Amino acid sequence: MPGSEAVQPLWGREGGVAVTQRRGYVPQELEPKWQRRWRERGVLRARDDSDRPKFYNLVMFPYPSGDLHMGHMRNYVIGDLYSRFQHMRGMEVLAPFGWDAFGLPAENAAIKAGVHPLHWTRANIARAKEQLDMMGVLFDWDREVTTCDPSYYRWTQWLFLLFLERGLAYRAMAPVNWCPVDQTVLANEQVIQGRCWRCGAPVEKRDLEQWFLRITAYADRLLDDLALLEHWPEKVRVMQANWIGRSRGLEVDFPLVGLDQSLRIFTTRPDTLYGVTFMVMAPEHPLVAAVTTPEHRDQVAAYVERARRESEIERQSTEREKTGVPTGGLAINPLNGERVPIWVSDYVLMGYGTGAIMGVPGHDERDFAFARRFGLSVREVIAPPDGPQGELSAAYTGPGRMINSGPFDGLEGQAAFNAVADWVERRGLGQRATRYRLRDWLISRQRYWGCPIPVVHCSGCGVVPVPQEQLPVLLPETYRKLDQQPDFYRTACPRCGGDAHRETDTMDTFIDSSWYFLRYTSVHDQTRPFDPALANRWMAVDQYTGGIEHAILHLLYSRFFMKVLHDAGMVDQVEPFTRLFTQGMITRHGTAMSKSAGNGVAPDDLVVREGADAGRVYEMFIGPPEEDAEWTDAAVAGPVRFLQRVWRLVAEPETVRVSGQGADPAVLRRRVHQAIARVTADYHDFRFNTAVAALMELSNAMQEYLANGGARGPEWEEAVSAMVRLLHPLAPHITEELWERIGGDGLCVDAPWPVHDPALAAEPEVTLVVQVAGRVRDRLQVQAGLNREQAVQLALASPAVGRALNGRSPTRVVHVPDKLINLVP
RNA sequence: GCGGCGGUGGUGGAACGGUAGACACAAUGGUCUCAAAAACCAUCGUCCUUCGGGACGUGUGGGUUCGAAUCCCACCCGCCGCACCA
């Protein structure tokens, strides 16, 4: 980024922003200067051997997709602000950065523009770094991580082998999600409403042999440990809990009439077992053909075939009417011996439970709809609190007492569940079971630009892991699908030495990002993924900041990895991120800033026009950081004026025209200490918008002080010093320059954080609000600390109160000391 | 459908159950200037006013309270997540 030569004097209005000649404060000149100094002095390079308490401040690393805009920048400005704040507060801050550099956009760009994914990625990284620099965002670049670099993905492969060794990685044939546009399979988490999360194409089902990670083995811990994450947004915890979707229930075998087999079902409502009037199997259920009687064979075969062909979107729609066909087969309810018909319907999913259900139309909405559609009978077996309804016009799914249930009549709730479950278990008809919505993580990707899965297929030895000393399995330089590159896949079996075939799938890129925060702690270690001692020194991440879009995917996978690595003895902690903050999107003209929408604000333009500091302050002032916010070009003027004013107050106080009198140094001092308290608390709690407001108020108070003839004595010096340091995390460049000019020690970023004195911040006088019957009638300036009687006396003396009381006397008095007095007649 | 979050001036937004609209943007008037910009000062929810002030006002309707933007109930609207998971 060029310095002053890029700056044209801008006059009048440009893009709706008032840009004017600049006198003393020329951000375009001083910003590059301080960026250089920070770099030279190694500011915010984390020391492993520091005595200061550690603070691991992490922002989610990005996919390097091209130019950054101010929407992306919000995340990095928040991160940088927090790093500087914690550093000034005396913490040893670890603030690393890197690039989630494998992935499909690089390949798409390669196809479209004919550039190799690696070159495209490298160019984007260089560009993004430049943009981060120009915004004054500091990271510990000595610890930079790039996931497509062999020095990184070597350890991704190593970790895959660890999972394999621990029985947590396996290969299986399964109906998987296939995206026809991206030409690859997808994990469950990457299918949003039946469509590919990346390109939006409807996902198809295919039977393929693929690699999975056994995340379901950790389902209970991933769910239960959410309770440890008290500093995570409730919303994210709820989303994860729902995603894991633990259900405790009962499996029951229903013997099949005429066959020597049973149909196993899973239910969370054993107390409704007497209400079963039919059974339903998923079309893919292996026993469908066996239960189907000859006269139903054609109809069932046709239905199964049609279900196979339908897309996930069609099948999963709740809107459409239920479909299904009878099989002619019968099952026996083991509780009451009744014979019930077996149907096939696609509302039952093969992938959940046992792929078959018992139909209880009286107490399940879906079963009710199905029964209505096909004229199946409905039976009431759960009575609501106010008694049985007799005829059910809808499924009753609420709590209640068992009825029409033989020996179980009268039981309810957990007792009913247990009685039926015990009965079933004692007779060997089934057992209690826990089921999850969460599925194992499908990680194979049929793409070039990813981390190769380090295994070899040998006709004699089967699947053989690549020995650790042969890692990394390097991605070939030629950009072409790996299964079309014989030089890559032809290899020798590491075990028997015979001809073998390398795995040609690459890993889901979410694997790369599931452990990068550990690599940062010892990025130069050539012997292992990370040094356990250093990981234990820095982990867990104290503050993690990023977008809500990762509420499930990245944050769930990372938690899973952390637990596996903990079990492997590589790290002490069980959760990676202590405190999570999810920032909102920046919109402009009503939609998210993006390249495709063409509404992004480039940091480059902002830096040239207003300076990085004004852009940072505006972006923090725009609204609460956790909420979406609309970028208004004209509104940047506020922060621009604010910084100009701070400059003038600190560097050119003599230019402030005196137009009044009566400046009180004690009042100034009070404002300063109030500001220190507010800004410190606001930064700490991520209330950056009100922190900016508090600093603006302080600048207004300082302006007023000088305009009223205030002396530039010790109180003024204190105000200036506090202002500069409090403002530093928001506007680092201008404050470094001002810090130097006022003769501050060293760099401003290294200066100690100001401490407020509550005694000095206390107001000696307060406004006492006087109400009559809850309505404000007067406001009195009174000395602080008045007692109830004094307050009543003063209130009664007010003429406005006299009018409002109109001769009546108060029967009740509410007194909030130093705030309010309410007289109720 | 279920779950979560939100609805405050022309705009972005403040407000431990206690002065609604902090702080800004925009707008209007003024000081300065040959003029303009910048800077600074003032006004800035709606209606009424004898200019003292008064009434109304935080999506809608109720309720709790001396007092509600804030707590409770019902509803409307918007956004996000899940979506036949038995």
Side-chain angles (χ1 to χ4, degrees), chain A residues 238-412:
Chain A
V238 167
M239 280 169 74
Q240 291 212 355
N242 291 341
W243 186 263
I244 295 166
R246 179 165 64 195
S247 294
R248 299 195 190 281
L250 184 69
E251 287 183 359
V252 186
D253 289 324
F254 280 60
L256 294 166
V257 173
L259 289 171
D260 197 18
Q261 291 191 74
S262 293
L263 182 60
R264 171 159 286 213
I265 59 93
F266 172 74
T267 179
T268 55
R269 291 294 303 272
D271 56 334
T272 64
L273 261 161
Y274 278 77
V276 174
T277 57
F278 58 93
M279 310 290 285
V280 188
M281 301 167 84
E284 299 87 352
H285 197 288
L287 289 177
V288 167
V291 302
T292 303
T293 56
E295 60 272 27
H296 289 93
R297 193 146 292 151
D298 292 348
Q299 203 191 352
V300 169
Y303 184 83
V304 169
E305 183 50 35
R306 198 179 55 186
R308 260 197 105 59
R309 277 203 313 270
E310 280 196 316
S311 75
E312 282 297 293
I313 302 175
E314 290 165 328
R315 274 189 69 167
Q316 305 256 321
S317 169
T318 49
E319 306 301 312
R320 72 170 194 183
E321 196 151 18
K322 294 219 172 346
T323 59
V325 289
T327 63
L330 296 170
I332 300 168
N333 185 337
L335 269 80
N336 57 14
E338 281 184 15
R339 297 182 167 214
V340 289
I342 303 172
W343 287 63
V344 173
S345 173
D346 64 5
Y347 85 90
V348 175
L349 309 174
M350 194 58 223
Y352 184 78
T354 60
I357 60 148
M358 59 182 201
V360 185
H363 306 286
D364 182 281
E365 282 168 26
R366 298 151 303 185
D367 297 347
F368 186 84
F370 192 75
R372 269 290 157 87
R373 175 88 164 79
F374 295 107
L376 300 163
S377 61
V378 178
R379 187 181 299 165
E380 185 179 25
V381 294
I382 298 290
D386 45 351
Q389 305 173 61
E391 191 76 358
L392 289 167
S393 58
Y396 174 72
T397 57
R401 204 161 35 80
M402 289 178 76
I403 56 171
N404 300 323
S405 298
F408 300 103
D409 278 356
L411 294 171
E412 57 185 310

Side-chain angles (χ1 to χ4, degrees), chain A residues 9-169:
Chain A
L10 297 169
W11 300 83
R13 277 161 192 279
E14 283 271 334
V17 180
V19 182
T20 55
Q21 57 177 317
R22 269 126 194 194
R23 291 187 298 268
Y25 173 45
V26 184
Q28 294 79 2
E29 280 171 12
L30 63 88
E31 288 180 351
K33 165 180 152 190
W34 289 104
Q35 286 155 15
R36 208 162 43 239
R37 291 233 189 138
W38 292 324
R39 201 164 32 240
E40 286 161 7
R41 309 247 183 121
V43 170
L44 286 186
R45 302 285 149 119
R47 288 179 43 195
D48 291 327
D49 58 355
S50 167
D51 293 335
R52 295 173 159 217
K54 70 98 182 178
F55 193 92
Y56 192 168
N57 183 43
L58 186 63
V59 293
M60 290 181 187
F61 71 165
Y63 181 77
S65 61
D67 275 15
L68 299 175
H69 53 64
M70 292 307 291
H72 302 115
M73 244 359 139
R74 193 182 201 185
N75 189 209
Y76 312 130
V77 171
I78 290 174
D80 182 61
L81 186 162
Y82 218 66
S83 289
R84 292 174 185 268
F85 173 61
Q86 293 294 353
H87 175 73
M88 292 174 82
R89 301 240 291 168
M91 310 299 279
E92 186 63 33
V93 173
L94 172 59
F97 201 67
W99 313 94
D100 191 12
F102 272 135
L104 215 40
E107 287 196 59
N108 293 339
I111 294 160
K112 208 168 143 196
V115 201
H116 192 279
L118 179 62
H119 297 137
W120 184 84
T121 303
R122 287 237 174 96
N124 285 340
I125 289 174
R127 174 82 185 110
K129 262 172 133 164
E130 192 177 85
Q131 291 184 301
L132 290 167
D133 280 348
M134 73 174 72
M135 286 303 293
V137 172
L138 295 182
F139 290 113
D140 185 345
W141 289 110
D142 290 345
R143 295 171 186 261
E144 182 177 0
V145 145
T146 306
T147 60
C148 68
D149 195 308
S151 68
Y152 183 85
Y153 73 68
R154 169 184 187 177
W155 301 114
T156 307
Q157 292 174 341
W158 190 97
L159 290 170
F160 175 87
L161 295 177
L162 176 79
F163 275 63
L164 193 62
E165 202 173 286
R166 299 179 71 82
L168 294 169

Side-chain angles (χ1 to χ4, degrees), chain A residues 707-780:
Chain A
N708 286 334
R712 301 212 290 276
E715 293 85 358
W716 178 255
E717 301 291 319
E718 184 188 19
V720 164
S721 168
M723 169 57 98
V724 171
R725 283 178 292 158
L726 292 174
L727 181 58
H728 178 80
L730 281 159
H733 310 88
I734 186 178
T735 48
E736 287 288 5
E737 183 71 23
L738 292 172
W739 186 250
E740 186 178 64
R741 289 184 184 222
I742 63 174
D745 238 8
L747 290 173
C748 186
V749 68
D750 293 326
W753 193 249
V755 179
H756 98 286
D757 180 342
L760 289 170
E763 288 285 350
E765 266 199 0
V766 295
T767 304
L768 186 69
V769 173
V770 183
Q771 296 183 335
V772 176
R775 308 194 61 114
V776 178
R777 294 298 167 184
D778 206 352
R779 297 179 175 94
L780 305 172

